[in-house]
């Protein structure tokens, strides 16, 4: 980048996101106002880590260090012009079987080769973030080419087109404008007509976003098939798909569109799988037609998940039936890496984080067993099922033993009083205390008139036999203190540049190095960033028991964590108590669901200040 542009960036960076007028910038660089505007346009197009925004007050810079503090700047939403160009480039490359050069693209779309090169770099990153198995192959002296299967290319084009913001009343005209070079007007009109008819006939109740996706995918299919670019399905899936309601809908489309395209069997398979990925509200298929081998393999997975998490995914018939049926339905779409439509992934991951974590483990087992790829959109659906199961469970009571030194009968009467005040306690025993009494870690002990030595035990709360209000408060305070998460946390201020480095650093200084691999295993399945500058890394839950630990890192600046920006890292080493883990994740969500609250936390400079703000939230 030229020296003047560097000076412009340096100057704006020192203004703490304050706006500076074009005139002031022009005077500072000794150039004209128009040159300043050109500099800023060039910076925004060619430097992905920096964005300069404008307002009536002038210009301000947004860098990686400040993205998390700019709620009004949402960089995940591309400008319409940029989004349309990306779609058109993909559409153009899908029509080419050979390599094309940057100069050819520049001439086609009326941009400079440098701008096209920059846009292709961004496009490559955007494709990668979607998890679609398509790549842009670049060869020196040859140019660029779109690599991937026909299914993945179609998925990519549809995803980019439907992400372009357009109002419902303008959508059909928008489609005509951008697909008339692929499909004639009569065909487009009839696709919409047939969709509307089948929507009513099958009571699909399609929402607008799904309507857009299906209409566009049908047009893409028609064009590609007419150009002899067919999908190829290696295995004979059609027989297995006939029991699904989506097969009936796909056959109806095949019949209705026969005047415009001839569907091969593989294309029908693709359409059925695509319809399944949309999660249409169709009648469920007859479970008696399920493949018994696939059912058994899913049941084995659900049994393993229940053994680890003690969530009845297998033992309760109702839950097993619902989640098994859902998994059975998504195996085929997932085997083709079709994106499962789910508009509420981010909210699910944040609000039901524990269920999402269980679902991630479940998804990993599905991937291993069926050799498919499960992405966040599908993990969120699995999380819904897990959350329903968890919410239906009766909360376990804390197993409690009363200890006394004398007066068994009086202590027995006291037990009934205690359970009246504390419904969460289950008094399972009344035992006499003596020197050398062995305490078990998994019980809460309430000592009645005990000696000082017994009172010093970590899981003993001592009261008087008179059981006055002070004793009630003492038990309540003890129970609340047991639930405190952050009070026992290790809190550090760090300066790292990636999730891997932040996690490793925090684990090393907390002497928890052995958890690095299982935590990173969890990250590779689904990033643990939940929005609002927060990530909650944790290891995959395994059958061995962990001792609960919380390690907090306040990073000096925001870092990219999957699709989110993160500055507050909360590493959680789970306990062996599933309900405790659910409680902890819920508290993390409640404390960090406001960006303003998180900002106040990341601006702290010491542990005392951090804890004070956390406890005030």
């Amino acid at each position: 980048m030229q020296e003047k542009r560097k000076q412009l960036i340096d100057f704006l960076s020192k203004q703490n996101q304050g706006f500076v007028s074009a005139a002031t910038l022009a005077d500072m660089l000794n150039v004209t106002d128009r040159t300043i505007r050109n500099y800023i346009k060039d910076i925004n197009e060619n430097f992905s880590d920096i964005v300069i925004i404008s307002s009536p007050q002038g210009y301000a810079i947004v860098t990686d260090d400040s993205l998390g503090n700019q709620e009004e700047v949402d960089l995940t939403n591309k400008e319409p012009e940029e989004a349309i160009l990306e779609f058109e480039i993909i559409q153009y490359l899908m029509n080419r079987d050979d390599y094309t050069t940057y100069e050819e693209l520049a001439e086609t779309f009326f941009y400079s080769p440098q701008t096209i090169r920059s846009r292709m770099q961004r496009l490559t990153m955007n494709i990668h973030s979607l998890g679609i198995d398509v790549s842009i192959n670049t060869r020196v002296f040859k140019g660029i080419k779109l690599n991937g299967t026909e299914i993945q290319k179609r998925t990519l084009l549809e995803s980019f087109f439907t992400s372009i913001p357009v109002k419902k009343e303008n959508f059909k005209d928008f489609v005509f404008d951008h697909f008339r070079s692929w499909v004639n007007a009569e065909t487009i009109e009839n696709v919409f007509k047939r969709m509307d008819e089948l929507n009513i006939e099958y009571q699909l109740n399609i929402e607008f976003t799904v309507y857009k996706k299906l209409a566009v995918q049908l047009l893409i299919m028609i064009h590609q098939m007419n150009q002899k670019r067919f999908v190829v399905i290696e295995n004979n899936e059609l027989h297995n798909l006939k029991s699904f309601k989506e097969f009936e809908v796909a056959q109806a489309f095949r019949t209705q569109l026969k005047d415009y395209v001839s569907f091969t069997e593989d294309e029908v398979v693709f359409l059925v799988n695509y319809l399944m990925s949309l999660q249409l509200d169709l009648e469920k298929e007859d479970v008696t037609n399920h493949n018994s081998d696939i059912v058994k393999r899913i049941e084995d997975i659900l049994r393993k998940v229940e053994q680890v998490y003690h969530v009845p995914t297998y033992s309760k018939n109702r839950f097993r039936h619902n989640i098994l049926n859902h998994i059975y339905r998504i195996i085929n779409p997932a085997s083709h890496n079709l994106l499962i439509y789910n508009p509420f992934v981010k909210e699910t991951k944040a609000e039901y984080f524990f269920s999402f974590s269980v679902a991630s483990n479940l998804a990993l087992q599905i991937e291993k067993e069926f050799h498919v790829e499960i992405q966040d959109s599908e993990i969120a659906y699995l999380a819904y099922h897990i959350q329903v199961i968890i919410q239906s469970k009766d909360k376990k009571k804390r197993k409690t033993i009363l200890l006394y030194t004398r007066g068994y009968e009086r202590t027995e009467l006291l037990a009934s009083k205690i359970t009246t005040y504390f419904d969460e306690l289950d008094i399972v025993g009344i035992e006499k205390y003596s020197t050398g009494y062995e305490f078990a870690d998994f019980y809460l002990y309430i000592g009645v008139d005990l000696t000082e030595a017994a009172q010093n035990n970590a899981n003993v709360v001592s009261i008087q036999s008179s059981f006055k209000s002070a004793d009630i408060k003492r038990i309540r305070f003890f129970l609340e203190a047991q639930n405190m998460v952050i009070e026992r946390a290790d809190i550090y201020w760090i300066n790292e540049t990636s999730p891997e480095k932040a996690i490793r650093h925090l684990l090393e200084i907390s002497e928890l190095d052995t958890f690095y691999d299982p935590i990173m295993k969890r990250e590779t399945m689904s990033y643990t960033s939940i929005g609002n500058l927060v990530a909650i890394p944790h290891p995959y839950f395994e059958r061995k028991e962990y001792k609960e630990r919380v390690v907090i890192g306040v990073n000096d600046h925001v870092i990219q964590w999957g699709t989110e920006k993160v500055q507050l890292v909360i590493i959680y080493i789970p306990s062996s108590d599933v309900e405790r883990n659910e409680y902890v994740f819920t508290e993390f969500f409640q404390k960090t669901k406001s960006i303003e609250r998180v900002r106040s936390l990341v601006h702290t400079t010491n542990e005392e200040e951090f804890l004070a703000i956390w406890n005030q939230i």
Side-chain angles (χ1 to χ4, degrees):
M1 186 173 291
Q2 298 178 8
E3 188 61 30
K4 292 283 188 182
R5 292 167 176 75
K6 288 183 179 179
Q7 292 176 13
L8 175 60
I9 292 172
D10 290 341
F11 183 80
L12 289 177
S13 298
K14 295 174 183 177
Q15 307 309 309
N16 297 318
Q17 289 87 58
F19 287 93
V20 181
S21 69
T24 300
L25 293 171
D27 289 341
M28 188 268 296
L29 294 177
N30 195 26
V31 295
T32 64
D33 291 8
R34 181 176 180 179
T35 301
I36 290 295
R37 288 193 293 272
N38 289 335
Y39 284 169
I40 289 169
K41 182 176 183 294
D42 188 45
I43 291 168
N44 284 337
E45 288 182 349
N46 295 292
F47 200 59
S48 60
D49 296 326
I50 293 174
V51 172
I52 297 176
I53 57 177
S54 62
S55 79
Q57 292 76 42
Y59 298 99
I61 196 167
V62 183
T63 66
D64 273 349
D65 291 350
S66 61
L67 288 177
N69 298 322
Q70 296 287 330
E71 284 189 273
E72 69 277 9
V73 182
D74 185 3
L75 299 182
T76 62
N77 290 328
K78 299 185 287 291
E79 290 295 323
E81 180 187 357
E82 180 183 353
I84 291 171
L85 176 61
E86 289 185 342
F87 158 74
E88 289 177 340
I89 290 174
I90 296 170
Q91 192 180 40
Y92 180 85
L93 293 176
M94 281 182 64
N95 268 335
R96 296 285 296 263
D97 296 321
D98 57 345
Y99 285 87
T100 186
T101 66
Y102 289 111
E103 288 72 19
E104 287 176 306
L105 287 171
E107 186 175 340
T108 301
F109 297 109
F110 307 105
Y111 284 88
S112 69
Q114 293 78 11
T115 299
I116 290 294
R117 188 181 297 273
S118 173
R119 293 294 177 88
M120 292 302 297
Q121 291 172 347
R122 292 192 189 187
L123 179 58
T124 300
M125 292 187 291
N126 290 335
I127 291 173
H128 178 73
S129 68
L130 281 176
I132 297 175
D133 193 16
V134 173
S135 62
I136 297 176
N137 189 320
T138 304
R139 291 279 186 90
V140 179
F141 304 124
K142 294 187 72 174
I144 57 178
K145 181 181 178 183
L146 202 62
N147 283 351
T149 65
E150 180 63 26
I151 288 178
Q152 291 296 286
K153 288 179 181 179
R154 294 183 190 182
T155 303
L156 178 71
L157 186 64
E158 176 256 288
S159 297
F160 270 76
F161 186 78
T162 53
S163 69
I164 302 170
V166 57
K167 293 181 179 180
K168 187 175 183 178
E169 57 268 24
N170 299 330
F171 177 64
K172 287 188 179 180
D173 290 337
F174 194 68
V175 170
F176 274 101
D177 288 343
H178 291 89
F179 278 93
R180 59 189 172 192
S181 63
W182 271 30
V183 185
N184 64 44
E186 179 189 355
T187 304
I188 296 175
E189 191 64 54
N190 274 280
V191 165
F192 282 116
K193 180 181 178 181
R194 303 308 180 195
M195 275 189 56
D196 292 338
E197 291 172 349
L198 293 177
N199 189 23
I200 295 171
E201 180 180 347
Y202 288 93
Q203 298 180 343
L204 302 179
N205 300 316
I206 299 177
E207 60 175 280
F208 178 51
T209 302
V210 175
Y211 185 90
K212 288 196 302 181
K213 293 171 72 67
L214 180 54
V216 169
Q217 189 58 250
L218 288 171
L219 293 174
I220 294 171
M221 291 179 67
I222 291 171
H223 173 266
Q224 293 297 90
M225 283 189 275
N226 285 332
Q227 295 297 314
K228 309 301 181 185
R229 295 190 179 99
F230 298 101
V231 299
V232 177
I233 309 293
E234 294 182 359
N235 300 318
N236 183 14
E237 288 184 30
L238 195 59
H239 177 73
N240 294 332
L241 294 174
K242 288 181 178 179
S243 63
F244 294 100
K245 191 72 174 180
E246 286 85 353
F247 173 78
E248 187 179 336
V249 178
Q251 286 289 72
F253 274 116
R254 181 185 194 180
T255 301
Q256 295 285 353
L257 300 176
K258 64 182 180 181
D259 292 338
Y260 309 101
V261 69
S262 179
F263 281 75
T264 65
E265 185 174 289
D266 284 354
E267 291 289 349
V268 174
V269 171
F270 167 63
L271 182 55
V272 175
N273 278 300
Y274 181 78
L275 291 170
M276 293 171 72
S277 75
L278 295 178
Q279 296 291 306
L280 301 174
D281 188 19
L282 294 171
E283 297 175 12
K284 302 305 179 185
E285 65 279 358
D286 183 0
V287 296
T288 59
N289 292 327
H290 281 355
N291 182 296
S292 59
D293 175 63
I294 294 176
V295 169
K296 182 180 182 303
R297 290 157 70 186
I298 296 173
E299 287 181 336
D300 288 342
I301 292 171
L302 296 178
R303 188 184 294 110
K304 291 175 184 176
V305 170
E306 180 168 339
Q307 289 172 349
V308 173
Y309 290 95
H310 308 292
V311 176
T313 51
Y314 177 81
S315 59
K316 296 290 181 68
N317 288 336
R318 174 166 62 94
F319 299 139
R320 182 176 75 236
H321 171 82
N322 290 340
I323 198 167
L324 187 153
N325 193 55
H326 177 82
I327 294 171
Y328 191 92
R329 288 176 56 80
I330 60 92
I331 288 173
N332 281 315
S335 69
H336 300 295
N337 198 27
L338 286 171
L339 301 177
I340 306 298
Y341 174 68
N342 189 339
F344 304 111
V345 177
K346 186 173 180 178
E347 295 88 337
T348 304
K349 180 183 279 193
E351 188 165 357
Y352 305 127
F353 194 79
F354 177 71
S355 294
F356 199 92
S357 183
V358 178
S360 296
N361 191 307
L362 175 56
L364 181 64
Q365 303 303 322
I366 296 170
E367 287 190 339
K368 288 180 179 178
E369 181 65 32
F370 294 100
H371 307 290
V372 298
E373 184 173 351
I374 306 296
Q375 301 195 35
D376 277 9
S377 57
E378 172 52 31
I379 296 175
Y381 280 116
L382 295 173
Y384 300 155
H385 287 276
I386 300 297
Q387 186 65 25
V388 168
I389 296 173
I390 289 174
Q391 289 182 343
S392 69
K393 289 178 62 180
D394 293 330
K395 296 296 181 182
K396 288 193 303 183
K397 295 187 176 185
R398 183 79 181 267
K399 294 188 180 301
T400 306
I401 293 177
L402 293 190
L403 296 177
Y404 69 98
T405 53
R406 52 196 176 96
Y408 174 85
E409 291 78 10
R410 186 173 57 187
T411 307
E412 190 174 30
L413 290 174
L414 182 59
S416 63
K417 289 184 179 180
I418 292 173
T419 53
T420 299
Y421 280 97
F422 300 97
D423 184 57
E424 64 265 47
L425 299 182
D426 178 18
I427 298 180
V428 296
I430 301 174
E431 299 179 3
K432 188 169 184 177
Y433 173 77
S434 60
T435 304
Y437 181 89
E438 293 187 5
F439 294 93
D441 291 338
F442 45 85
Y443 287 121
L444 167 65
Y445 295 91
I446 297 180
V448 183
D449 301 327
L450 292 193
T451 63
E452 184 177 343
Q455 294 177 29
N456 291 333
N457 193 282
N459 52 340
V460 174
V461 55
S462 294
I463 63 172
Q464 300 299 312
S465 57
S466 56
F467 197 58
K468 296 181 179 179
S469 60
D471 296 305
I472 297 173
K473 290 180 180 178
R474 190 174 291 113
I475 294 175
R476 175 57 62 199
F477 179 81
F478 184 86
L479 291 174
E480 290 177 353
Q482 290 285 301
N483 282 334
M484 284 183 177
V485 180
I486 300 301
E487 293 293 337
R488 298 186 297 276
D490 299 323
I491 306 175
Y492 303 101
W493 279 258
I494 59 176
N495 184 12
E496 299 297 342
T497 57
S498 70
E500 296 80 8
K501 291 179 180 178
I503 291 170
R504 186 180 292 280
H505 184 180
L506 290 170
L507 291 176
E508 285 178 351
I509 56 182
S510 302
E511 298 182 350
L512 296 169
D513 310 54
T514 55
F515 286 100
Y516 180 77
D517 287 339
I519 285 177
M520 293 312 300
K521 179 181 177 183
R522 170 66 180 82
E523 291 289 330
T524 56
M525 186 66 208
S526 172
Y527 286 109
T528 57
S529 48
I530 62 172
N532 287 349
L533 303 181
V534 178
I536 312 178
H538 57 278
Y540 261 117
F541 294 67
E542 307 201 358
R543 297 189 184 187
K544 61 182 179 181
E545 294 185 358
Y546 297 144
K547 183 176 180 180
E548 183 181 80
R549 287 284 298 276
V550 179
V551 182
I552 294 175
V554 179
N555 206 50
D556 181 67
H557 56 280
V558 296
I559 54 179
Q560 191 68 39
W561 202 298
T563 58
E564 302 286 345
K565 300 289 183 179
V566 167
Q567 195 168 1
L568 179 62
V569 183
I570 306 175
I571 295 180
Y572 180 59
I573 309 300
S575 71
S576 57
D577 185 341
V578 174
E579 289 189 8
R580 168 65 176 177
N581 298 328
E582 182 196 359
Y583 167 84
V584 170
F585 283 129
T586 300
E587 175 167 340
F588 289 158
F589 167 70
Q590 294 295 335
K591 296 284 189 178
T592 62
K593 64 182 181 180
S594 164
I595 186 68
E596 292 300 330
R597 292 172 178 175
V598 176
R599 283 175 178 167
S600 64
L601 289 169
V602 299
H603 288 153
T604 59
T605 57
N606 58 68
E607 186 172 326
E608 182 179 356
E609 185 183 4
F610 186 98
L611 290 174
I613 293 176
W614 182 277
N615 291 328
Q616 288 172 6
I617 297 174

